[in-house]
Structures are given as C-alpha cells and as structure tokens.
Coordinates of all heavy atoms in Angstrom, one line a residue:
M1 N -14.7 16.7 -16.0 CA -14.0 16.7 -17.3 C -14.6 15.7 -18.2 O -14.7 14.6 -17.9 CB -12.5 16.4 -17.0 CG -11.8 17.4 -16.2 SD -10.1 16.7 -15.7 CE -9.2 17.0 -17.1
T2 N -14.9 16.1 -19.4 CA -15.5 15.2 -20.4 C -14.4 14.7 -21.3 O -13.4 15.4 -21.5 CB -16.6 15.9 -21.2 OG1 -16.0 17.1 -21.9 CG2 -17.7 16.3 -20.4
G3 N -14.5 13.5 -21.7 CA -13.5 13.0 -22.6 C -12.3 12.4 -21.9 O -11.4 11.9 -22.6
T4 N -12.2 12.5 -20.6 CA -11.0 12.0 -19.9 C -11.4 10.6 -19.5 O -12.4 10.3 -19.0 CB -10.7 12.8 -18.6 OG1 -10.5 14.2 -19.0 CG2 -9.5 12.2 -17.9
R5 N -10.4 9.7 -19.8 CA -10.6 8.3 -19.6 C -9.5 7.8 -18.7 O -8.3 8.1 -18.9 CB -10.6 7.5 -20.9 CG -10.9 6.0 -20.7 CD -11.1 5.3 -22.0 NE -11.2 3.9 -21.6 CZ -11.0 3.0 -22.5 NH1 -10.7 3.2 -23.7 NH2 -11.2 1.7 -22.1
L6 N -9.9 7.0 -17.7 CA -8.9 6.5 -16.7 C -8.7 5.0 -17.1 O -9.7 4.2 -17.0 CB -9.4 6.6 -15.3 CG -8.5 6.1 -14.2 CD1 -7.2 6.8 -14.2 CD2 -9.2 6.2 -12.9
D7 N -7.5 4.6 -17.5 CA -7.2 3.2 -17.8 C -6.5 2.6 -16.6 O -5.5 3.1 -16.1 CB -6.2 3.2 -19.0 CG -6.9 3.5 -20.3 OD1 -8.1 3.2 -20.4 OD2 -6.3 4.1 -21.1
I8 N -7.2 1.6 -16.1 CA -6.6 0.9 -14.9 C -6.3 -0.5 -15.3 O -7.1 -1.2 -15.8 CB -7.6 0.9 -13.7 CG1 -7.9 2.3 -13.3 CG2 -7.1 0.1 -12.6 CD1 -9.0 2.4 -12.2
D9 N -5.0 -0.9 -15.0 CA -4.6 -2.2 -15.3 C -4.9 -3.1 -14.1 O -4.4 -2.9 -13.0 CB -3.1 -2.2 -15.5 CG -2.5 -3.6 -15.7 OD1 -3.2 -4.6 -15.8 OD2 -1.2 -3.7 -15.8
P10 N -5.9 -4.1 -14.3 CA -6.3 -4.9 -13.1 C -5.2 -5.7 -12.5 O -5.1 -5.8 -11.3 CB -7.3 -5.8 -13.7 CG -7.7 -5.2 -15.0 CD -6.6 -4.4 -15.5
Q11 N -4.2 -6.1 -13.3 CA -3.1 -6.9 -12.7 C -2.2 -6.0 -11.8 O -1.8 -6.4 -10.7 CB -2.3 -7.5 -13.8 CG -1.4 -8.6 -13.4 CD -0.8 -9.3 -14.6 OE1 -0.8 -8.9 -15.7 NE2 -0.3 -10.5 -14.3
Q12 N -2.0 -4.7 -12.3 CA -1.2 -3.8 -11.5 C -1.9 -3.4 -10.2 O -1.3 -3.2 -9.2 CB -0.8 -2.6 -12.3 CG 0.1 -1.6 -11.6 CD 1.5 -2.2 -11.2 OE1 2.0 -3.0 -12.0 NE2 2.0 -1.9 -10.1
A13 N -3.2 -3.2 -10.4 CA -4.0 -2.8 -9.2 C -4.0 -3.9 -8.2 O -3.9 -3.6 -6.9 CB -5.5 -2.5 -9.6
G14 N -4.1 -5.2 -8.6 CA -4.0 -6.3 -7.7 C -2.6 -6.4 -7.0 O -2.5 -6.6 -5.8
R15 N -1.5 -6.1 -7.7 CA -0.2 -6.1 -7.2 C 0.0 -5.0 -6.2 O 0.5 -5.1 -5.1 CB 0.8 -6.0 -8.3 CG 2.3 -6.1 -7.8 CD 3.2 -6.1 -9.0 NE 4.6 -6.2 -8.6 CZ 5.4 -5.2 -8.2 NH1 5.0 -4.0 -8.3 NH2 6.7 -5.4 -7.9
D16 N -0.6 -3.8 -6.5 CA -0.5 -2.6 -5.6 C -1.3 -2.9 -4.3 O -0.8 -2.5 -3.2 CB -1.0 -1.4 -6.3 CG -0.1 -0.9 -7.4 OD1 1.1 -1.3 -7.4 OD2 -0.6 -0.1 -8.2
L17 N -2.4 -3.5 -4.4 CA -3.2 -3.9 -3.2 C -2.5 -4.9 -2.4 O -2.4 -4.7 -1.1 CB -4.6 -4.4 -3.6 CG -5.5 -4.8 -2.5 CD1 -5.8 -3.7 -1.5 CD2 -6.8 -5.5 -3.0
A18 N -1.8 -5.9 -3.0 CA -1.1 -6.9 -2.2 C 0.1 -6.2 -1.5 O 0.4 -6.5 -0.4 CB -0.5 -8.0 -3.2
A19 N 0.8 -5.2 -2.2 CA 1.9 -4.5 -1.6 C 1.4 -3.7 -0.4 O 2.1 -3.6 0.6 CB 2.5 -3.5 -2.6
L20 N 0.2 -3.1 -0.5 CA -0.3 -2.3 0.6 C -0.6 -3.2 1.8 O -0.2 -2.9 2.9 CB -1.6 -1.5 0.2 CG -2.2 -0.7 1.3 CD1 -1.3 0.4 1.8 CD2 -3.5 -0.1 0.7
V21 N -1.3 -4.3 1.5 CA -1.6 -5.2 2.6 C -0.3 -5.8 3.3 O -0.2 -5.8 4.5 CB -2.5 -6.4 2.1 CG1 -2.7 -7.5 3.2 CG2 -3.9 -5.8 1.7
L22 N 0.6 -6.2 2.4 CA 1.9 -6.7 3.0 C 2.7 -5.7 3.7 O 3.3 -6.0 4.7 CB 2.7 -7.3 1.9 CG 2.2 -8.7 1.3 CD1 3.0 -9.1 0.1 CD2 2.1 -9.7 2.4
T23 N 2.5 -4.4 3.3 CA 3.2 -3.3 4.1 C 2.6 -3.2 5.5 O 3.4 -3.1 6.4 CB 3.0 -2.0 3.3 OG1 3.7 -2.1 2.0 CG2 3.6 -0.8 4.1
V24 N 1.3 -3.3 5.6 CA 0.7 -3.2 6.9 C 1.1 -4.4 7.8 O 1.5 -4.3 8.9 CB -0.8 -3.1 6.8 CG1 -1.5 -3.2 8.1 CG2 -1.2 -1.8 6.1
V25 N 1.1 -5.6 7.2 CA 1.5 -6.8 7.9 C 2.9 -6.7 8.3 O 3.3 -7.1 9.5 CB 1.2 -8.1 7.0 CG1 1.8 -9.3 7.6 CG2 -0.3 -8.2 6.8
E26 N 3.8 -6.2 7.4 CA 5.2 -6.1 7.8 C 5.4 -5.1 8.9 O 6.2 -5.3 9.8 CB 6.0 -5.7 6.5 CG 7.5 -5.5 6.8 CD 8.3 -6.7 7.3 OE1 7.7 -7.8 7.3 OE2 9.5 -6.5 7.6
L27 N 4.7 -4.0 8.9 CA 4.9 -3.0 9.9 C 4.5 -3.6 11.3 O 5.2 -3.5 12.3 CB 4.0 -1.8 9.6 CG 4.0 -0.7 10.7 CD1 5.3 -0.1 10.9 CD2 3.0 0.4 10.3
L28 N 3.3 -4.3 11.3 CA 2.9 -5.0 12.5 C 3.9 -6.1 13.0 O 4.1 -6.2 14.2 CB 1.5 -5.6 12.3 CG 0.4 -4.6 12.1 CD1 -0.9 -5.2 11.8 CD2 0.2 -3.7 13.4
R29 N 4.4 -6.8 12.0 CA 5.4 -7.9 12.4 C 6.6 -7.3 13.0 O 7.1 -7.7 14.1 CB 5.8 -8.7 11.1 CG 6.7 -9.9 11.4 CD 7.4 -10.3 10.2 NE 8.4 -9.4 9.7 CZ 9.6 -9.1 10.3 NH1 10.0 -9.8 11.4 NH2 10.4 -8.2 9.8
Q30 N 7.1 -6.2 12.4 CA 8.3 -5.5 13.0 C 8.0 -4.9 14.4 O 8.8 -5.0 15.3 CB 8.8 -4.4 12.1 CG 9.5 -5.0 10.8 CD 10.1 -3.9 10.0 OE1 10.3 -2.8 10.5 NE2 10.4 -4.2 8.7
L31 N 6.8 -4.4 14.6 CA 6.5 -3.8 15.9 C 6.4 -4.9 16.9 O 6.9 -4.7 18.0 CB 5.1 -3.1 15.8 CG 5.2 -1.7 15.0 CD1 3.8 -1.2 14.8 CD2 6.1 -0.7 15.7
M32 N 5.8 -6.0 16.6 CA 5.7 -7.2 17.5 C 7.1 -7.7 17.9 O 7.4 -8.0 19.0 CB 4.9 -8.3 16.9 CG 3.4 -8.0 16.9 SD 2.4 -9.4 16.4 CE 3.3 -10.2 15.1
E33 N 8.0 -7.8 16.9 CA 9.3 -8.3 17.1 C 10.1 -7.3 18.0 O 10.7 -7.7 19.0 CB 10.0 -8.4 15.8 CG 11.4 -9.0 15.9 CD 12.0 -9.2 14.5 OE1 12.7 -8.3 14.0 OE2 11.8 -10.3 13.9
R34 N 10.0 -6.0 17.7 CA 10.7 -5.0 18.6 C 10.2 -5.1 20.0 O 10.9 -4.9 21.0 CB 10.6 -3.6 18.0 CG 11.5 -3.4 16.8 CD 11.6 -1.9 16.5 NE 12.1 -1.9 15.1 CZ 11.4 -1.8 14.0 NH1 10.1 -1.7 14.1 NH2 12.0 -1.7 12.8
Q35 N 8.9 -5.2 20.2 CA 8.3 -5.2 21.5 C 8.7 -6.4 22.3 O 9.1 -6.3 23.4 CB 6.7 -5.2 21.4 CG 6.0 -5.2 22.7 CD 6.1 -3.9 23.5 OE1 6.7 -3.0 23.1 NE2 5.6 -3.9 24.7
A36 N 8.8 -7.6 21.6 CA 9.2 -8.8 22.3 C 10.7 -8.7 22.7 O 11.1 -9.1 23.8 CB 9.0 -10.0 21.4
L37 N 11.5 -8.1 21.8 CA 12.9 -8.0 22.1 C 13.2 -7.0 23.2 O 14.0 -7.2 24.1 CB 13.7 -7.6 20.8 CG 13.8 -8.6 19.7 CD1 14.5 -8.0 18.5 CD2 14.6 -9.8 20.2
R38 N 12.4 -5.9 23.2 CA 12.5 -4.9 24.2 C 12.2 -5.5 25.6 O 12.9 -5.3 26.6 CB 11.7 -3.7 23.9 CG 11.8 -2.6 24.9 CD 10.9 -1.4 24.7 NE 9.5 -1.8 25.0 CZ 8.9 -1.9 26.2 NH1 9.7 -1.7 27.2 NH2 7.7 -2.2 26.3
R39 N 11.1 -6.2 25.6 CA 10.6 -6.8 26.9 C 11.6 -7.9 27.3 O 11.8 -8.1 28.5 CB 9.2 -7.4 26.7 CG 8.2 -6.2 26.5 CD 6.8 -6.7 26.4 NE 6.3 -7.2 27.7 CZ 5.2 -7.8 27.9 NH1 4.3 -7.9 26.9 NH2 4.8 -8.2 29.1
L40 N 12.1 -8.6 26.4 CA 13.1 -9.7 26.8 C 14.3 -9.0 27.4 O 14.8 -9.5 28.4 CB 13.5 -10.5 25.5 CG 14.5 -11.6 25.7 CD1 13.9 -12.7 26.7 CD2 14.8 -12.3 24.4
D41 N 14.8 -7.9 26.7 CA 16.0 -7.2 27.3 C 15.7 -6.7 28.7 O 16.6 -6.6 29.5 CB 16.4 -6.1 26.3 CG 17.0 -6.6 25.0 OD1 17.5 -7.7 25.0 OD2 17.1 -5.8 24.1
L42 N 14.5 -6.2 28.9 CA 14.2 -5.7 30.2 C 13.8 -6.8 31.2 O 13.5 -6.4 32.4 CB 13.0 -4.7 30.1 CG 13.3 -3.4 29.3 CD1 12.0 -2.6 29.1 CD2 14.4 -2.6 30.0
G43 N 13.7 -8.0 30.8 CA 13.2 -9.1 31.6 C 11.8 -8.9 32.0 O 11.4 -9.3 33.1
D44 N 11.0 -8.4 31.1 CA 9.6 -8.0 31.4 C 8.7 -8.9 30.6 O 7.7 -8.4 29.9 CB 9.4 -6.5 31.1 CG 8.0 -6.0 31.4 OD1 7.4 -6.6 32.3 OD2 7.6 -5.1 30.8
L45 N 8.9 -10.2 30.5 CA 8.0 -11.1 29.8 C 7.0 -11.7 30.7 O 6.3 -12.7 30.3 CB 8.8 -12.1 29.0 CG 9.6 -11.6 27.8 CD1 10.4 -12.7 27.2 CD2 8.6 -11.0 26.8
G46 N 6.8 -11.1 31.9 CA 5.8 -11.7 32.8 C 6.2 -13.0 33.3 O 7.3 -13.3 33.6
D47 N 5.2 -13.9 33.3 CA 5.4 -15.2 33.9 C 5.6 -16.3 32.8 O 5.3 -17.5 33.0 CB 4.2 -15.6 34.7 CG 2.9 -15.6 34.0 OD1 2.9 -15.2 32.8 OD2 1.9 -16.0 34.6
L48 N 6.2 -15.9 31.7 CA 6.5 -16.9 30.6 C 7.7 -17.7 31.0 O 8.7 -17.2 31.5 CB 6.8 -16.1 29.3 CG 5.8 -15.3 28.6 CD1 6.3 -14.7 27.3 CD2 4.5 -16.1 28.4
D49 N 7.6 -19.0 30.7 CA 8.7 -19.9 31.0 C 9.6 -19.9 29.8 O 9.3 -19.3 28.7 CB 8.2 -21.3 31.4 CG 7.4 -22.0 30.3 OD1 7.7 -21.8 29.1 OD2 6.5 -22.8 30.7
D50 N 10.8 -20.6 29.9 CA 11.7 -20.6 28.8 C 11.1 -21.2 27.5 O 11.4 -20.7 26.4 CB 13.0 -21.5 29.2 CG 13.8 -20.8 30.3 OD1 13.7 -19.5 30.4 OD2 14.6 -21.4 30.9
G51 N 10.3 -22.2 27.6 CA 9.7 -22.8 26.4 C 8.8 -21.8 25.7 O 8.7 -21.7 24.5
Q52 N 8.0 -21.0 26.5 CA 7.1 -20.0 25.9 C 8.0 -18.9 25.2 O 7.6 -18.4 24.2 CB 6.2 -19.4 26.9 CG 5.2 -20.5 27.4 CD 4.4 -20.0 28.6 OE1 5.0 -19.4 29.5 NE2 3.1 -20.2 28.6
E53 N 9.0 -18.5 25.9 CA 9.9 -17.5 25.3 C 10.5 -18.0 24.0 O 10.6 -17.3 23.0 CB 11.1 -17.1 26.2 CG 10.6 -16.3 27.4 CD 11.8 -15.9 28.3 OE1 12.9 -15.9 27.8 OE2 11.5 -15.7 29.5
E54 N 10.9 -19.2 23.9 CA 11.5 -19.8 22.7 C 10.4 -19.9 21.6 O 10.6 -19.7 20.5 CB 12.0 -21.2 23.0 CG 12.7 -21.8 21.8 CD 13.4 -23.1 22.2 OE1 13.9 -23.3 23.3 OE2 13.5 -24.0 21.3
A55 N 9.1 -20.2 22.0 CA 8.0 -20.3 21.1 C 7.8 -18.9 20.4 O 7.5 -18.8 19.2 CB 6.8 -20.8 21.7
I56 N 7.9 -17.9 21.2 CA 7.8 -16.5 20.7 C 8.8 -16.2 19.6 O 8.6 -15.8 18.5 CB 7.8 -15.5 21.8 CG1 6.5 -15.6 22.6 CG2 7.9 -14.1 21.2 CD1 6.5 -14.7 23.9
G57 N 10.1 -16.6 20.0 CA 11.2 -16.4 19.0 C 11.0 -17.2 17.7 O 11.2 -16.7 16.6
T58 N 10.6 -18.4 17.9 CA 10.3 -19.3 16.7 C 9.2 -18.7 15.8 O 9.3 -18.7 14.6 CB 10.0 -20.7 17.1 OG1 11.1 -21.2 17.9 CG2 9.7 -21.6 16.0
T59 N 8.2 -18.3 16.5 CA 7.0 -17.7 15.7 C 7.4 -16.5 15.0 O 7.1 -16.3 13.8 CB 5.9 -17.4 16.7 OG1 5.5 -18.6 17.4 CG2 4.7 -16.8 16.0
L60 N 8.2 -15.6 15.6 CA 8.7 -14.4 14.9 C 9.6 -14.7 13.7 O 9.5 -14.1 12.7 CB 9.4 -13.5 15.9 CG 8.5 -12.8 16.9 CD1 9.3 -12.1 18.0 CD2 7.5 -11.9 16.3
M61 N 10.4 -15.8 13.9 CA 11.3 -16.2 12.7 C 10.4 -16.7 11.6 O 10.7 -16.5 10.4 CB 12.3 -17.2 13.2 CG 13.4 -16.7 14.0 SD 14.7 -17.8 14.5 CE 14.2 -19.4 14.0
L62 N 9.4 -17.5 11.9 CA 8.5 -18.1 10.9 C 7.7 -17.0 10.2 O 7.5 -17.1 9.0 CB 7.6 -19.2 11.5 CG 8.3 -20.4 12.0 CD1 7.3 -21.3 12.8 CD2 8.9 -21.2 10.8
L63 N 7.3 -16.0 10.9 CA 6.6 -14.9 10.3 C 7.5 -14.1 9.4 O 7.0 -13.7 8.3 CB 6.1 -13.9 11.4 CG 4.8 -14.4 12.2 CD1 4.6 -13.4 13.3 CD2 3.6 -14.5 11.3
D64 N 8.7 -14.0 9.7 CA 9.7 -13.3 8.9 C 9.9 -14.1 7.6 O 9.9 -13.5 6.5 CB 11.0 -13.1 9.6 CG 12.0 -12.3 8.8 OD1 11.7 -11.1 8.5 OD2 13.1 -12.9 8.5
R65 N 10.0 -15.4 7.7 CA 10.2 -16.2 6.5 C 8.9 -16.2 5.6 O 9.0 -16.2 4.4 CB 10.5 -17.7 7.0 CG 10.9 -18.6 5.9 CD 11.4 -19.9 6.4 NE 12.4 -19.8 7.4 CZ 12.6 -20.7 8.4 NH1 11.8 -21.7 8.6 NH2 13.5 -20.5 9.3
R66 N 7.8 -16.2 6.3 CA 6.5 -16.2 5.5 C 6.4 -14.9 4.8 O 5.8 -14.9 3.7 CB 5.3 -16.5 6.5 CG 4.0 -16.6 5.8 CD 3.9 -17.8 4.9 NE 2.6 -17.9 4.3 CZ 2.4 -18.1 3.0 NH1 3.4 -18.3 2.2 NH2 1.2 -18.1 2.6
M67 N 6.8 -13.8 5.3 CA 6.8 -12.5 4.6 C 7.6 -12.6 3.3 O 7.2 -12.1 2.3 CB 7.3 -11.4 5.5 CG 6.3 -10.9 6.5 SD 4.7 -10.2 5.7 CE 5.4 -8.9 4.8
D68 N 8.8 -13.2 3.4 CA 9.6 -13.4 2.2 C 8.8 -14.2 1.2 O 8.8 -13.9 0.0 CB 10.9 -14.1 2.5 CG 11.9 -13.2 3.2 OD1 11.8 -12.0 3.1 OD2 12.8 -13.7 4.0
E69 N 8.2 -15.3 1.6 CA 7.4 -16.1 0.7 C 6.2 -15.4 0.0 O 6.0 -15.5 -1.2 CB 6.8 -17.4 1.4 CG 7.9 -18.3 1.9 CD 7.4 -19.4 2.8 OE1 6.1 -19.4 3.1 OE2 8.2 -20.2 3.3
L70 N 5.5 -14.6 0.8 CA 4.4 -13.8 0.3 C 4.9 -12.7 -0.7 O 4.2 -12.5 -1.7 CB 3.6 -13.2 1.5 CG 2.8 -14.2 2.3 CD1 2.2 -13.5 3.5 CD2 1.6 -14.7 1.4
C71 N 6.0 -12.1 -0.4 CA 6.5 -11.1 -1.3 C 6.9 -11.7 -2.6 O 6.5 -11.2 -3.7 CB 7.7 -10.4 -0.7 SG 7.3 -9.2 0.6
A72 N 7.6 -12.9 -2.5 CA 8.0 -13.6 -3.8 C 6.7 -14.0 -4.6 O 6.7 -13.9 -5.8 CB 8.8 -14.8 -3.4
Q73 N 5.7 -14.5 -3.9 CA 4.5 -14.9 -4.5 C 3.8 -13.8 -5.3 O 3.2 -14.0 -6.3 CB 3.5 -15.5 -3.5 CG 2.2 -16.0 -4.0 CD 1.4 -16.6 -2.9 OE1 1.8 -16.6 -1.7 NE2 0.2 -16.9 -3.2
H74 N 4.0 -12.6 -4.8 CA 3.3 -11.4 -5.5 C 4.3 -10.6 -6.3 O 4.0 -9.5 -6.7 CB 2.6 -10.5 -4.4 CG 1.5 -11.2 -3.8 ND1 0.3 -11.4 -4.4 CD2 1.3 -11.9 -2.6 CE1 -0.6 -12.0 -3.6 NE2 0.1 -12.4 -2.5
G75 N 5.5 -11.1 -6.5 CA 6.5 -10.4 -7.3 C 7.0 -9.1 -6.6 O 7.3 -8.1 -7.3
L76 N 7.1 -9.1 -5.3 CA 7.5 -8.0 -4.6 C 8.8 -8.3 -3.8 O 9.1 -9.4 -3.6 CB 6.5 -7.5 -3.6 CG 5.1 -7.1 -4.1 CD1 4.1 -7.1 -3.0 CD2 5.2 -5.8 -4.8
R77 N 9.5 -7.2 -3.5 CA 10.7 -7.3 -2.6 C 10.3 -6.6 -1.3 O 9.4 -5.8 -1.3 CB 11.9 -6.7 -3.2 CG 12.4 -7.3 -4.5 CD 13.4 -6.4 -5.2 NE 12.7 -5.1 -5.5 CZ 13.4 -4.0 -5.5 NH1 14.7 -3.9 -5.4 NH2 12.8 -2.8 -5.7
R78 N 11.0 -6.9 -0.3 CA 10.8 -6.2 1.0 C 10.9 -4.7 0.8 O 10.2 -3.9 1.4 CB 11.7 -6.7 2.1 CG 11.5 -8.1 2.6 CD 10.4 -8.1 3.7 NE 10.2 -9.5 4.2 CZ 10.5 -9.9 5.4 NH1 11.0 -9.0 6.3 NH2 10.4 -11.1 5.7
E79 N 11.9 -4.3 0.0 CA 12.1 -2.8 -0.2 C 10.8 -2.2 -0.8 O 10.6 -1.0 -0.7 CB 13.3 -2.6 -1.1 CG 14.6 -3.1 -0.6 CD 14.8 -4.6 -0.9 OE1 14.5 -5.1 -2.0 OE2 15.2 -5.4 0.0
D80 N 10.1 -3.0 -1.6 CA 8.9 -2.4 -2.2 C 7.8 -2.1 -1.2 O 6.9 -1.4 -1.6 CB 8.3 -3.5 -3.2 CG 9.2 -3.8 -4.4 OD1 10.1 -2.9 -4.7 OD2 9.2 -4.9 -4.9
L81 N 7.9 -2.6 0.0 CA 6.9 -2.4 1.0 C 7.1 -1.1 1.8 O 6.2 -0.7 2.5 CB 6.8 -3.6 2.0 CG 6.7 -5.0 1.4 CD1 6.6 -6.0 2.5 CD2 5.4 -5.0 0.5
N82 N 8.2 -0.5 1.6 CA 8.5 0.7 2.4 C 8.0 1.9 1.7 O 8.3 2.2 0.6 CB 10.1 0.8 2.6 CG 10.4 1.5 3.8 OD1 9.5 2.1 4.5 ND2 11.7 1.6 4.1
L83 N 7.1 2.6 2.5 CA 6.5 3.8 1.9 C 7.3 5.1 2.3 O 7.8 5.2 3.4 CB 5.1 4.0 2.5 CG 4.1 2.9 2.2 CD1 2.8 3.1 3.0 CD2 3.9 2.7 0.8
D84 N 7.5 5.9 1.3 CA 8.2 7.2 1.6 C 7.2 8.2 2.1 O 6.2 8.5 1.5 CB 8.8 7.7 0.2 CG 9.6 9.0 0.4 OD1 9.6 9.5 1.6 OD2 10.1 9.5 -0.6
L85 N 7.4 8.7 3.3 CA 6.5 9.6 4.0 C 7.0 11.0 3.9 O 6.7 11.9 4.7 CB 6.4 9.2 5.5 CG 5.8 7.8 5.7 CD1 5.8 7.4 7.2 CD2 4.5 7.6 5.1
G86 N 7.8 11.3 2.9 CA 8.2 12.7 2.6 C 9.2 13.1 3.7 O 10.2 12.4 4.0
P87 N 9.0 14.3 4.3 CA 9.9 14.8 5.3 C 10.0 13.9 6.6 O 11.0 14.0 7.3 CB 9.4 16.2 5.7 CG 8.0 16.2 5.1 CD 7.9 15.2 4.1
L88 N 9.1 13.0 6.8 CA 9.2 12.1 7.9 C 10.1 10.9 7.7 O 10.4 10.2 8.6 CB 7.8 11.6 8.3 CG 6.8 12.7 8.7 CD1 5.4 12.0 8.9 CD2 7.2 13.4 10.0
G89 N 10.5 10.7 6.5 CA 11.3 9.6 6.2 C 10.5 8.4 5.6 O 9.5 8.6 5.0
T90 N 10.9 7.2 5.9 CA 10.2 6.0 5.4 C 9.4 5.4 6.5 O 9.8 5.6 7.7 CB 11.2 5.0 4.8 OG1 12.2 4.7 5.8 CG2 11.9 5.6 3.6
L91 N 8.4 4.6 6.1 CA 7.6 4.0 7.1 C 8.4 2.9 7.9 O 8.3 2.8 9.1 CB 6.4 3.3 6.4 CG 5.4 2.6 7.3 CD1 4.7 3.5 8.3 CD2 4.4 1.8 6.5
L92 N 9.1 2.1 7.2 CA 9.9 1.0 7.8 C 11.3 1.4 7.9 O 11.9 2.0 7.0 CB 9.7 -0.3 6.9 CG 8.3 -0.8 6.7 CD1 8.3 -1.9 5.7 CD2 7.6 -1.2 7.9
P93 N 12.0 1.0 9.0 CA 13.4 1.4 9.1 C 14.2 0.7 8.1 O 13.9 -0.4 7.6 CB 13.8 0.8 10.5 CG 12.5 0.5 11.2 CD 11.4 0.3 10.1
D94 N 15.3 1.3 7.7 CA 16.3 0.7 6.7 C 16.8 -0.6 7.3 O 17.0 -0.7 8.5 CB 17.4 1.6 6.4 CG 17.0 2.8 5.6 OD1 16.0 2.7 4.9 OD2 17.6 3.9 5.7
G95 N 17.0 -1.6 6.4 CA 17.6 -2.8 6.8 C 16.7 -3.9 7.3 O 17.0 -5.0 7.6
D96 N 15.4 -3.6 7.4 CA 14.4 -4.6 7.8 C 13.5 -4.9 6.7 O 13.2 -4.2 5.8 CB 13.5 -4.0 9.0 CG 14.2 -4.1 10.3 OD1 15.1 -4.9 10.4 OD2 13.8 -3.3 11.2

C-alpha cells in the first residue's frame, strides 16, 4: 500500500512493552505461588525446614508487593496485565 503511514507513539509503545513483560512476570509469580501453596497443603515440600518454608512465604509476599510497585511505576494496574484470550477467558484468574 502506498501512501499509508503508521504513526507509533514511542511512549505508548514503551508502556505496552512494560505491560507485556509485567504480564509474563505476574503469570510466573502466580504459578510459583500456587505451586508452593499446593505443595504445602499436600505436605510435599521435601526436606525444607520451617525456616525455609517461612522464607518461601516471605519471598512470595515481597514479589507480590514488588509487582504493585512496578505497575505503579509504569502507570499500570494489575487489571491491565490480564489478557483476554477470547473464548478461553482471561490469562490471569479474576481477583489476582
């Protein structure tokens, strides 16, 4: 097509890229959290002692807090990270 021009706003492109990266990080964070909780419920944390279990919980809480900070830094909300996958629903569960 001749004469067609694509105008890209660099600031919006940067925000969109940050949203995509944070979406992937949030998905991984939620998966790690669910896996840890599932294994804790099943008593399947291997040979971890109580201190190590507590460290995992603390780390997951700190990651959650850091996600809030990163979203705020980039002008995003957690809801902005959830992708609509059409008939499959959303990428991230509601409420997380």
